[in-house]
Amino acid sequence: MWLKKRSQWWLVAPGMLALVLLMMLLYGSSDQKQLQQQQQQQQQQLVGGALFKLDLRWPKNPDIFTGEVFCVAVNQQAAVVYVAQRGSNIPKVLVFTTDGDFLMSWNTTTLEMPHGMFLADAASKEPTVWITDVGDGPYGHSIKQYSPSGKLLQVLGTPGKAGSGVDPLQFDQPAEIYVHQSGEMYIVDGDGGLNNRLIKLSKDGEVVWMHAEKGAGLAQFYIPHSMAVDGAQRVWVADRGNKRIQVFNSVTGDWLGMWGSCFTDDAPYSVRLTADKKHFVVVQLNTNQISMLDAPPVGLIGECSVASVIQLADDVKPHLVDVDLKTGDLYVAQIGAQQAQKFTPISR
């Protein structure tokens, strides 16, 4: 009886093998794509309570990215996302809808090496786009304001000349700008250049206060890289070289406190407040992590506390982020992966 079943099995097996091979030929490309998506999801392991999930549908055509993606900014009112990338003979800014459709690119020659990006008056349908430029050419070492379609409107700093002056204002590799709804501007100047400064400017571009001393002491910086302003008159600065976040009073510039215990493995590169104001989103490039830190109540800085971590794949190198304050979606610029990705909040 066993020999009979065995004989039947050897008769059936070649047919089954042929059927499997045929299915692989017919559906191989589809299965491969699904496998890649599954692997990508598995690589983005969630540590702690899951707060965000990857949107694999955004953007709809990822081949649009052709360079190293450094920064991203969201216009929540018009549902538009701006992404800046570096490279030779490529558009420096790509514009998408929040649904993932590609809208246009900027082929401006006035932008050399984009580093940070911010949308001023992002609640309006026509916000202006501010971009920090760390290039060494005639347009570098400056911060530029563009129209939504890429027309140059204004330049802060002295284009093409690195410096530390305030009259006239000079920068050396300015990392990021944050424009408050009042029109006041906060700038971290020094992505490895001469300066290690946090500067507050009035809406007319005059210096209100500044911290400009390099070091590891209180209110000193070593490669300040990103910042966010909350609703309690506090400025949260990613002090990258010192592996900490420092906090200042946005009105007076007084030092309020710092967080360091969360950054023993890698420095904070980017900081943004979530739409619900409950967490700070902090990116750590070298460990390929996106951390959600509990936002403290008004009047308290305390110690940092990690609520959730998204562990990205090796060599993705997340750099700067932005948050859609209307939907809560998170957009992450990734240098190593040469792409931007969208993460959506998980309903609880």
Side-chain angles (χ1 to χ4, degrees):
M1 185 70 177
W2 179 83
L3 290 174
K4 184 177 180 180
K5 288 184 177 180
R6 182 181 176 185
S7 176
Q8 290 175 345
W9 165 249
W10 284 109
L11 289 172
V12 173
M16 293 180 64
L17 179 61
L19 179 61
V20 170
L21 291 173
L22 178 61
M23 292 178 65
M24 289 176 65
L25 289 173
L26 290 175
Y27 303 107
S29 60
S30 176
D31 289 344
Q32 185 177 10
K33 184 177 180 181
Q34 291 179 359
L35 179 61
Q36 289 174 344
Q37 291 178 342
Q38 291 172 357
Q39 289 175 339
Q40 193 173 26
Q41 286 178 316
Q42 290 170 357
Q43 288 170 337
Q44 291 162 353
Q45 302 167 5
L46 290 166
V47 179
L51 299 178
F52 289 89
K53 62 182 178 180
L54 176 65
D55 185 350
L56 290 170
R57 301 168 299 173
W58 194 97
K60 295 178 181 177
N61 184 6
D63 293 337
I64 293 294
F65 300 121
T66 52
E68 295 181 321
V69 177
F70 268 74
C71 52
V72 61
V74 189
N75 175 357
Q76 60 263 22
Q77 186 65 27
V80 174
V81 182
Y82 295 83
V83 180
Q85 59 181 3
R86 295 185 195 174
S88 301
N89 302 316
I90 63 171
K92 294 300 192 297
V93 177
L94 306 172
V95 187
F96 302 87
T97 68
T98 53
D99 289 331
D101 295 309
F102 176 68
L103 295 177
M104 66 173 132
S105 62
W106 295 1
N107 294 294
T108 176
T109 59
T110 62
L111 186 58
E112 295 177 3
M113 295 180 66
H115 186 277
M117 180 187 292
F118 192 86
L119 288 186
D121 195 17
S124 70
K125 290 187 176 181
E126 292 291 324
T128 56
V129 185
W130 288 89
I131 303 177
T132 65
D133 193 336
V134 298
D136 290 324
Y139 298 103
H141 301 297
S142 63
I143 304 175
K144 305 177 183 75
Q145 181 189 31
Y146 292 93
S147 72
S149 60
K151 180 182 178 181
L152 182 62
L153 302 175
Q154 182 183 178
V155 178
L156 298 179
T158 308
K161 295 182 179 180
S164 305
V166 293
D167 188 18
L169 190 60
Q170 294 177 303
F171 302 113
D172 186 4
Q173 300 183 45
E176 194 176 64
I177 182 171
Y178 190 104
V179 184
H180 193 263
Q181 59 187 10
S182 65
E184 297 171 320
M185 294 172 278
Y186 300 84
I187 298 165
V188 280
D189 176 29
D191 187 39
L194 294 170
N195 305 322
N196 291 273
R197 306 188 297 186
L198 169 63
I199 306 171
K200 179 181 179 178
L201 301 180
S202 69
K203 62 181 180 181
D204 298 319
E206 300 294 328
V207 176
V208 178
W209 53 259
M210 177 173 62
H211 292 287
E213 188 174 350
K214 181 180 179 180
L218 305 185
Q220 296 178 334
F221 294 105
Y222 180 42
I223 313 180
H225 200 259
S226 176
M227 87 223 93
V229 182
D230 66 14
Q233 298 182 342
R234 298 179 295 189
V235 186
W236 300 76
V237 183
D239 187 5
R240 182 182 126 192
N242 287 319
K243 290 187 177 181
R244 64 186 181 182
I245 288 178
Q246 294 199 76
V247 191
F248 299 85
N249 183 295
S250 65
V251 177
T252 64
D254 292 338
W255 185 88
L256 299 177
M258 68 179 180
W259 285 351
S261 60
C262 294
F263 312 114
T264 55
D265 293 331
D266 190 19
Y269 274 68
S270 182
V271 57
R272 282 290 185 271
L273 193 60
T274 56
D276 60 11
K277 315 301 182 188
K278 293 181 179 180
H279 302 93
F280 283 101
V281 181
V282 177
V283 162
Q284 294 169 279
L285 179 144
N286 294 301
T287 53
N288 301 290
Q289 292 181 338
I290 307 169
S291 299
M292 268 55 72
L293 309 182
D294 293 320
V298 176
L300 179 67
I301 303 299
E303 294 293 331
C304 56
S305 174
V306 179
S308 178
V309 175
I310 302 174
Q311 180 63 60
L312 302 177
D314 291 343
D315 298 323
V316 166
K317 296 192 181 303
H319 188 243
L320 293 173
V321 304
D322 200 20
V323 175
D324 187 326
L325 298 180
K326 185 176 181 180
T327 63
D329 294 334
L330 172 66
Y331 293 86
V332 183
Q334 301 170 355
I335 299 174
Q338 296 191 353
Q339 65 182 6
Q341 288 189 314
K342 175 183 178 180
F343 294 82
T344 59
I346 296 176
S347 300
R348 289 175 173 266

